[in-house]
Amino acid sequence: MPIVSLNKVTVIGCTPEEYERVYQKVSDFMATQPGHISQRLIRSSTEPNVYVAIAEWESLEHYRALGGNRELVEIFGEVITLPGPPPPEKPDKIVVEHHDGVVVSGPYDSR
């Protein structure tokens, strides 16, 4: 069963453009990983420093296989400390609220 990773990201210490650049690197990397289905970044039109990142994976096992991937941690390291809290001398540039989900309905296309 597909798993969906949902992340609400609030940019607090860099520009939205810098975050989008890092996200593109992350997205490019994830697209090469086994089990990756899709990736999407949505920027709020009412709060320009808020994003929702949505990634779909073939299974929870594929998604969890990313945990601790050195290359991915290095890319994310440009904006956030993984794992754990940031050191005081290098605060995080984004705040992430993470949720895992499963697809229960859709997709719908009204075009």
Side-chain angles (χ1 to χ4, degrees):
M1 172 180 291
I3 183 80
V4 179
S5 169
L6 306 164
N7 292 310
K8 176 185 176 190
V9 177
T10 304
V11 174
I12 57 170
C14 63
T15 65
E17 293 76 19
E18 181 182 354
Y19 170 65
E20 289 173 20
R21 179 187 55 75
V22 170
Y23 183 86
Q24 186 61 56
K25 285 185 190 178
V26 168
S27 185
D28 291 346
F29 174 80
M30 286 190 186
T32 68
Q33 300 306 297
H36 180 267
I37 297 172
S38 68
Q39 191 97 2
R40 178 177 261 183
L41 182 64
I42 301 165
R43 186 174 177 181
S44 171
S45 61
T46 56
E47 295 181 55
N49 65 329
V50 174
Y51 293 82
V52 176
I54 304 167
E56 189 172 2
W57 296 87
E58 289 178 12
S59 70
L60 186 57
E61 292 74 29
H62 284 104
Y63 175 67
R64 286 188 176 156
L66 291 172
N69 181 293
R70 193 149 129 176
E71 188 174 349
L72 188 59
V73 169
E74 186 176 309
I75 296 167
F76 270 125
E78 295 182 39
V79 291
I80 193 168
T81 305
L82 292 176
E89 67 277 4
K90 187 180 178 238
D92 286 342
K93 296 179 180 181
I94 63 172
V95 175
V96 178
E97 181 183 308
H98 175 74
H99 302 272
D100 289 335
V102 294
V103 177
V104 295
S105 183
Y108 302 104
D109 190 347
S110 60
R111 287 184 253 167

